[in-house]
mmCIF file of all heavy atoms in Angstrom:
data_model
loop_
_atom_site.group_PDB
_atom_site.id
_atom_site.type_symbol
_atom_site.label_atom_id
_atom_site.label_comp_id
_atom_site.label_asym_id
_atom_site.label_seq_id
_atom_site.Cartn_x
_atom_site.Cartn_y
_atom_site.Cartn_z
ATOM 1 N N LYS A 1 77.876 96.364 127.022
ATOM 2 C CA LYS A 1 77.453 96.890 125.719
ATOM 3 C C LYS A 1 78.275 98.130 125.366
ATOM 4 O O LYS A 1 78.689 98.307 124.221
ATOM 5 C CB LYS A 1 75.965 97.227 125.785
ATOM 6 C CG LYS A 1 75.360 97.591 124.474
ATOM 7 C CD LYS A 1 74.652 96.414 123.886
ATOM 8 C CE LYS A 1 73.855 96.845 122.681
ATOM 9 N NZ LYS A 1 73.908 95.857 121.627
ATOM 10 N N MET A 2 78.515 98.991 126.363
ATOM 11 C CA MET A 2 79.277 100.215 126.101
ATOM 12 C C MET A 2 80.716 99.908 125.700
ATOM 13 O O MET A 2 81.311 100.624 124.892
ATOM 14 C CB MET A 2 79.259 101.127 127.334
ATOM 15 C CG MET A 2 77.886 101.660 127.602
ATOM 16 S SD MET A 2 77.683 103.324 128.196
ATOM 17 C CE MET A 2 79.207 104.136 128.107
ATOM 18 N N GLU A 3 81.289 98.840 126.255
ATOM 19 C CA GLU A 3 82.654 98.443 125.912
ATOM 20 C C GLU A 3 82.709 97.659 124.600
ATOM 21 O O GLU A 3 83.785 97.349 124.102
ATOM 22 C CB GLU A 3 83.265 97.600 127.030
ATOM 23 C CG GLU A 3 83.558 98.389 128.289
ATOM 24 C CD GLU A 3 84.674 99.397 128.102
ATOM 25 O OE1 GLU A 3 85.660 99.086 127.414
ATOM 26 O OE2 GLU A 3 84.551 100.503 128.644
ATOM 27 N N GLY A 4 81.559 97.253 124.068
ATOM 28 C CA GLY A 4 81.522 96.531 122.795
ATOM 29 C C GLY A 4 81.750 95.035 122.914
ATOM 30 O O GLY A 4 82.054 94.373 121.920
ATOM 31 N N HIS A 5 81.594 94.475 124.112
ATOM 32 C CA HIS A 5 81.841 93.051 124.298
ATOM 33 C C HIS A 5 80.694 92.167 123.827
ATOM 34 O O HIS A 5 80.882 90.971 123.616
ATOM 35 C CB HIS A 5 82.135 92.743 125.771
ATOM 36 C CG HIS A 5 83.357 93.430 126.298
ATOM 37 N ND1 HIS A 5 84.565 93.426 125.626
ATOM 38 C CD2 HIS A 5 83.561 94.151 127.416
ATOM 39 C CE1 HIS A 5 85.447 94.105 126.324
ATOM 40 N NE2 HIS A 5 84.868 94.561 127.411
ATOM 41 N N LEU A 6 79.507 92.742 123.669
ATOM 42 C CA LEU A 6 78.344 91.941 123.272
ATOM 43 C C LEU A 6 78.133 91.921 121.759
ATOM 44 O O LEU A 6 77.306 91.162 121.266
ATOM 45 C CB LEU A 6 77.078 92.467 123.959
ATOM 46 C CG LEU A 6 77.018 92.217 125.459
ATOM 47 C CD1 LEU A 6 75.863 92.971 126.072
ATOM 48 C CD2 LEU A 6 76.898 90.740 125.740
ATOM 49 N N SER A 7 78.872 92.739 121.028
ATOM 50 C CA SER A 7 78.701 92.812 119.576
ATOM 51 C C SER A 7 79.435 91.672 118.892
ATOM 52 O O SER A 7 80.577 91.375 119.230
ATOM 53 C CB SER A 7 79.245 94.132 119.036
ATOM 54 O OG SER A 7 78.620 95.200 119.692
ATOM 55 N N ARG A 8 78.775 91.063 117.914
ATOM 56 C CA ARG A 8 79.437 90.027 117.126
ATOM 57 C C ARG A 8 80.092 90.705 115.945
ATOM 58 O O ARG A 8 79.454 91.466 115.217
ATOM 59 C CB ARG A 8 78.432 88.986 116.624
ATOM 60 C CG ARG A 8 79.142 87.826 115.928
ATOM 61 C CD ARG A 8 78.206 87.073 115.001
ATOM 62 N NE ARG A 8 78.797 85.868 114.467
ATOM 63 C CZ ARG A 8 79.670 85.818 113.472
ATOM 64 N NH1 ARG A 8 80.111 86.936 112.926
ATOM 65 N NH2 ARG A 8 80.146 84.682 113.031
ATOM 66 N N ASP A 9 81.366 90.432 115.740
ATOM 67 C CA ASP A 9 82.094 91.000 114.607
ATOM 68 C C ASP A 9 81.656 90.247 113.351
ATOM 69 O O ASP A 9 81.924 89.054 113.222
ATOM 70 C CB ASP A 9 83.592 90.849 114.835
ATOM 71 C CG ASP A 9 84.410 91.668 113.854
ATOM 72 O OD1 ASP A 9 83.866 92.042 112.798
ATOM 73 O OD2 ASP A 9 85.589 91.924 114.135
ATOM 74 N N PRO A 10 80.971 90.895 112.412
ATOM 75 C CA PRO A 10 80.400 90.175 111.271
ATOM 76 C C PRO A 10 81.396 89.849 110.160
ATOM 77 O O PRO A 10 81.052 89.141 109.223
ATOM 78 C CB PRO A 10 79.330 91.142 110.756
ATOM 79 C CG PRO A 10 79.878 92.479 111.088
ATOM 80 C CD PRO A 10 80.620 92.307 112.391
ATOM 81 N N ARG A 11 82.622 90.363 110.269
ATOM 82 C CA ARG A 11 83.581 90.139 109.180
ATOM 83 C C ARG A 11 83.951 88.668 109.077
ATOM 84 O O ARG A 11 84.205 88.015 110.079
ATOM 85 C CB ARG A 11 84.848 90.961 109.404
ATOM 86 C CG ARG A 11 84.606 92.451 109.333
ATOM 87 C CD ARG A 11 85.851 93.220 109.650
ATOM 88 N NE ARG A 11 86.268 92.967 111.036
ATOM 89 C CZ ARG A 11 87.432 93.360 111.535
ATOM 90 N NH1 ARG A 11 88.296 93.996 110.780
ATOM 91 N NH2 ARG A 11 87.735 93.110 112.787
ATOM 92 N N ALA A 12 83.957 88.155 107.870
ATOM 93 C CA ALA A 12 84.325 86.756 107.627
ATOM 94 C C ALA A 12 84.954 86.673 106.254
ATOM 95 O O ALA A 12 84.891 87.622 105.463
ATOM 96 C CB ALA A 12 83.110 85.848 107.718
ATOM 97 N N LYS A 13 85.553 85.541 105.955
ATOM 98 C CA LYS A 13 86.201 85.358 104.665
ATOM 99 C C LYS A 13 85.147 85.347 103.563
ATOM 100 O O LYS A 13 84.119 84.677 103.674
ATOM 101 C CB LYS A 13 86.972 84.042 104.665
ATOM 102 C CG LYS A 13 87.842 83.855 103.428
ATOM 103 C CD LYS A 13 88.687 82.606 103.578
ATOM 104 C CE LYS A 13 89.414 82.296 102.299
ATOM 105 N NZ LYS A 13 90.754 82.874 102.279
ATOM 106 N N GLU A 14 85.431 86.094 102.494
ATOM 107 C CA GLU A 14 84.505 86.178 101.366
ATOM 108 C C GLU A 14 84.599 84.909 100.522
ATOM 109 O O GLU A 14 85.677 84.351 100.352
ATOM 110 C CB GLU A 14 84.882 87.399 100.522
ATOM 111 C CG GLU A 14 83.890 87.768 99.455
ATOM 112 C CD GLU A 14 84.252 89.060 98.741
ATOM 113 O OE1 GLU A 14 85.040 89.854 99.281
ATOM 114 O OE2 GLU A 14 83.752 89.270 97.619
ATOM 115 N N ARG A 15 83.463 84.461 100.016
ATOM 116 C CA ARG A 15 83.457 83.215 99.262
ATOM 117 C C ARG A 15 84.119 83.400 97.899
ATOM 118 O O ARG A 15 84.145 84.487 97.336
ATOM 119 C CB ARG A 15 82.038 82.678 99.109
ATOM 120 C CG ARG A 15 81.213 83.363 98.037
ATOM 121 C CD ARG A 15 79.921 82.597 97.787
ATOM 122 N NE ARG A 15 79.262 83.025 96.577
ATOM 123 C CZ ARG A 15 79.535 82.546 95.369
ATOM 124 N NH1 ARG A 15 80.462 81.642 95.202
ATOM 125 N NH2 ARG A 15 78.890 82.992 94.306
ATOM 126 N N ARG A 16 84.636 82.299 97.352
ATOM 127 C CA ARG A 16 85.279 82.310 96.051
ATOM 128 C C ARG A 16 84.217 82.280 94.965
ATOM 129 O O ARG A 16 83.262 81.521 95.044
ATOM 130 C CB ARG A 16 86.184 81.089 95.927
ATOM 131 C CG ARG A 16 86.915 81.024 94.603
ATOM 132 C CD ARG A 16 87.737 79.754 94.493
ATOM 133 N NE ARG A 16 88.240 79.601 93.152
ATOM 134 C CZ ARG A 16 87.587 79.023 92.160
ATOM 135 N NH1 ARG A 16 86.382 78.515 92.362
ATOM 136 N NH2 ARG A 16 88.120 78.934 90.968
ATOM 137 N N LYS A 17 84.398 83.120 93.917
ATOM 138 C CA LYS A 17 83.465 83.151 92.797
ATOM 139 C C LYS A 17 84.036 82.357 91.625
ATOM 140 O O LYS A 17 85.237 82.300 91.432
ATOM 141 C CB LYS A 17 83.215 84.592 92.323
ATOM 142 C CG LYS A 17 82.255 85.396 93.194
ATOM 143 C CD LYS A 17 82.936 85.825 94.426
ATOM 144 C CE LYS A 17 82.144 86.833 95.218
ATOM 145 N NZ LYS A 17 82.929 87.285 96.355
ATOM 146 N N TYR A 18 83.134 81.758 90.850
ATOM 147 C CA TYR A 18 83.582 80.977 89.695
ATOM 148 C C TYR A 18 84.245 81.894 88.674
ATOM 149 O O TYR A 18 83.893 83.056 88.541
ATOM 150 C CB TYR A 18 82.407 80.219 89.060
ATOM 151 C CG TYR A 18 81.288 81.111 88.601
ATOM 152 C CD1 TYR A 18 81.302 81.670 87.326
ATOM 153 C CD2 TYR A 18 80.218 81.412 89.430
ATOM 154 C CE1 TYR A 18 80.297 82.494 86.897
ATOM 155 C CE2 TYR A 18 79.203 82.222 89.010
ATOM 156 C CZ TYR A 18 79.239 82.764 87.739
ATOM 157 O OH TYR A 18 78.233 83.577 87.313
ATOM 158 N N GLY A 19 85.234 81.362 87.975
ATOM 159 C CA GLY A 19 85.977 82.154 87.001
ATOM 160 C C GLY A 19 87.108 82.954 87.611
ATOM 161 O O GLY A 19 87.901 83.551 86.886
ATOM 162 N N LEU A 20 87.196 82.999 88.931
ATOM 163 C CA LEU A 20 88.258 83.733 89.608
ATOM 164 C C LEU A 20 89.124 82.756 90.390
ATOM 165 O O LEU A 20 88.696 81.658 90.733
ATOM 166 C CB LEU A 20 87.667 84.778 90.574
ATOM 167 C CG LEU A 20 86.758 85.846 89.973
ATOM 168 C CD1 LEU A 20 86.341 86.829 91.042
ATOM 169 C CD2 LEU A 20 87.447 86.589 88.836
ATOM 170 N N LYS A 21 90.356 83.187 90.678
ATOM 171 C CA LYS A 21 91.281 82.326 91.405
ATOM 172 C C LYS A 21 90.988 82.336 92.912
ATOM 173 O O LYS A 21 91.111 81.319 93.577
ATOM 174 C CB LYS A 21 92.728 82.753 91.158
ATOM 175 C CG LYS A 21 93.166 82.524 89.706
ATOM 176 C CD LYS A 21 94.610 82.898 89.521
ATOM 177 C CE LYS A 21 95.088 82.679 88.109
ATOM 178 N NZ LYS A 21 95.180 81.279 87.744
ATOM 179 N N LYS A 22 90.637 83.509 93.435
ATOM 180 C CA LYS A 22 90.225 83.646 94.837
ATOM 181 C C LYS A 22 88.941 84.465 94.830
ATOM 182 O O LYS A 22 88.271 84.542 93.801
ATOM 183 C CB LYS A 22 91.338 84.328 95.641
ATOM 184 C CG LYS A 22 92.565 83.445 95.756
ATOM 185 C CD LYS A 22 93.714 83.931 96.620
ATOM 186 C CE LYS A 22 93.721 85.289 97.152
ATOM 187 N NZ LYS A 22 94.951 85.652 97.841
ATOM 188 N N ALA A 23 88.580 85.072 95.948
ATOM 189 C CA ALA A 23 87.320 85.803 96.011
ATOM 190 C C ALA A 23 87.260 86.931 94.981
ATOM 191 O O ALA A 23 86.227 87.144 94.347
ATOM 192 C CB ALA A 23 87.109 86.363 97.414
ATOM 193 N N ARG A 24 88.376 87.639 94.788
ATOM 194 C CA ARG A 24 88.381 88.763 93.844
ATOM 195 C C ARG A 24 89.533 88.720 92.853
ATOM 196 O O ARG A 24 89.576 89.527 91.929
ATOM 197 C CB ARG A 24 88.451 90.075 94.621
ATOM 198 C CG ARG A 24 87.246 90.261 95.512
ATOM 199 C CD ARG A 24 87.210 91.602 96.140
ATOM 200 N NE ARG A 24 86.063 91.708 97.028
ATOM 201 C CZ ARG A 24 85.580 92.840 97.487
ATOM 202 N NH1 ARG A 24 86.140 93.979 97.141
ATOM 203 N NH2 ARG A 24 84.560 92.850 98.284
ATOM 204 N N LYS A 25 90.477 87.818 93.017
ATOM 205 C CA LYS A 25 91.651 87.762 92.144
ATOM 206 C C LYS A 25 91.302 87.072 90.837
ATOM 207 O O LYS A 25 90.950 85.893 90.829
ATOM 208 C CB LYS A 25 92.786 87.018 92.841
ATOM 209 C CG LYS A 25 94.061 86.971 92.013
ATOM 210 C CD LYS A 25 95.137 86.231 92.746
ATOM 211 C CE LYS A 25 96.258 85.924 91.805
ATOM 212 N NZ LYS A 25 97.479 86.538 92.070
ATOM 213 N N ALA A 26 91.416 87.820 89.752
ATOM 214 C CA ALA A 26 91.086 87.274 88.429
ATOM 215 C C ALA A 26 92.340 86.736 87.761
ATOM 216 O O ALA A 26 93.461 87.143 88.108
ATOM 217 C CB ALA A 26 90.476 88.369 87.571
ATOM 218 N N PRO A 27 92.194 85.829 86.817
ATOM 219 C CA PRO A 27 93.363 85.373 86.061
ATOM 220 C C PRO A 27 93.970 86.537 85.281
ATOM 221 O O PRO A 27 93.284 87.499 84.953
ATOM 222 C CB PRO A 27 92.791 84.338 85.087
ATOM 223 C CG PRO A 27 91.436 84.023 85.545
ATOM 224 C CD PRO A 27 90.963 85.159 86.396
ATOM 225 N N GLN A 28 95.261 86.420 84.970
ATOM 226 C CA GLN A 28 95.940 87.500 84.260
ATOM 227 C C GLN A 28 95.326 87.669 82.873
ATOM 228 O O GLN A 28 95.076 86.712 82.160
ATOM 229 C CB GLN A 28 97.429 87.173 84.138
ATOM 230 C CG GLN A 28 98.226 88.302 83.518
ATOM 231 C CD GLN A 28 99.716 88.013 83.565
ATOM 232 O OE1 GLN A 28 100.119 86.903 83.808
ATOM 233 N NE2 GLN A 28 100.512 89.037 83.326
ATOM 234 N N TYR A 29 95.096 88.939 82.500
ATOM 235 C CA TYR A 29 94.504 89.243 81.208
ATOM 236 C C TYR A 29 95.557 89.120 80.116
ATOM 237 O O TYR A 29 96.686 89.563 80.263
ATOM 238 C CB TYR A 29 93.944 90.669 81.235
ATOM 239 C CG TYR A 29 93.465 91.158 79.896
ATOM 240 C CD1 TYR A 29 92.286 90.659 79.340
ATOM 241 C CD2 TYR A 29 94.198 92.085 79.174
ATOM 242 C CE1 TYR A 29 91.846 91.089 78.115
ATOM 243 C CE2 TYR A 29 93.758 92.518 77.944
ATOM 244 C CZ TYR A 29 92.590 92.016 77.415
ATOM 245 O OH TYR A 29 92.141 92.450 76.174
ATOM 246 N N SER A 30 95.175 88.490 79.016
ATOM 247 C CA SER A 30 96.078 88.359 77.880
ATOM 248 C C SER A 30 95.395 88.922 76.645
ATOM 249 O O SER A 30 94.300 88.490 76.286
ATOM 250 C CB SER A 30 96.412 86.871 77.660
ATOM 251 O OG SER A 30 97.137 86.729 76.462
ATOM 252 N N LYS A 31 96.043 89.890 76.016
ATOM 253 C CA LYS A 31 95.429 90.527 74.849
ATOM 254 C C LYS A 31 95.534 89.631 73.616
ATOM 255 O O LYS A 31 94.647 89.620 72.774
ATOM 256 C CB LYS A 31 96.120 91.855 74.602
ATOM 257 C CG LYS A 31 95.401 92.743 73.613
ATOM 258 C CD LYS A 31 96.019 94.123 73.625
ATOM 259 C CE LYS A 31 95.240 95.066 72.719
ATOM 260 N NZ LYS A 31 95.813 96.409 72.722
#
């Protein structure tokens, strides 16, 4: 436990949201 071997690393790939190309990448804005 002191060395951190029992901890689960919670980081994982973020899910893709609708309207976006990837999890946070939005389409290019056009005025």
Side-chain angles (χ1 to χ4, degrees):
K1 188 99 171 141
M2 293 217 9
E3 290 292 321
H5 298 312
L6 290 170
S7 304
R8 186 201 188 282
D9 192 340
R11 295 176 296 170
K13 188 174 172 93
E14 190 175 341
R15 79 170 194 86
R16 181 183 170 273
K17 282 76 169 185
Y18 59 88
L20 301 183
K21 293 183 180 291
K22 292 185 351 186
R24 298 187 182 196
K25 182 180 167 115
Q28 185 173 14
Y29 172 73
S30 172
K31 192 170 185 180

